[in-house]
Amino acid sequence: MSMISKQLTKNDIEKSLLIPTDSFSIFPVQFEGGCFFNVTAVDSSGKAWDFPCSVQKSEGIVSVGWLQFLSGIDVRVGDTVFLHRKTMDGDDGDDSTAKLKIEVKRKIRLMGEDIWAVVL
């Protein structure tokens, strides 16, 4: 399974999710200056979300528009977003039929142990 993970900042929550372009190597996307593309991912409830993305090549980042996804959920600075890439049959690989799953998790300390709680 391929994955992108990022600990969220204030900017990620209030404006757009910023991810380094080299992290997007799990996607079949060619980054050519000023490139725009959409990424579709499924959340833990099975709902599909379309995320508009733009490449800021001079800064080496991809800006992901995800504010609609965040509305109505309690996402905080320090939470972590995970994008997992899996093939339709569940096996890992570079199959073009791969699906993306998006999750936001919060690390919490419970009885002296760190555990991940799924926010969405």
Side-chain angles (χ1 to χ4, degrees), residues 32-88:
E32 297 165 5
C35 180
F36 294 93
F37 60 97
N38 285 315
V39 170
T40 301
V42 177
D43 66 20
S44 58
S45 69
K47 181 176 180 181
W49 295 87
D50 288 320
F51 299 101
C53 303
S54 63
V55 178
Q56 298 172 17
K57 193 167 185 173
S58 63
E59 297 178 33
I61 59 172
V62 174
S63 176
V64 180
W66 75 326
L67 296 181
Q68 184 177 8
F69 171 77
L70 293 182
S71 67
I73 61 173
D74 180 28
V75 177
R76 302 175 190 165
V77 171
D79 289 350
T80 302
V81 62
F82 295 91
L83 280 169
H84 308 272
R85 184 171 189 250
K86 293 183 176 182
T87 57
M88 294 293 277

Side-chain angles (χ1 to χ4, degrees), residues 13-32:
I13 294 169
E14 294 178 356
K15 296 181 181 176
S16 66
L17 179 63
L18 301 177
I19 300 174
T21 54
D22 58 353
S23 297
F24 272 79
S25 62
I26 69 169
F27 300 107
V29 175
Q30 296 291 326
F31 297 120
E32 297 165 5

Side-chain angles (χ1 to χ4, degrees), residues 44 73-76 79 103-106 117-120:
S44 58
I73 61 173
D74 180 28
V75 177
R76 302 175 190 165
D79 289 350
E103 294 179 297
V104 179
K105 295 183 178 182
R106 179 172 301 137
V118 176
V119 177
L120 181 70

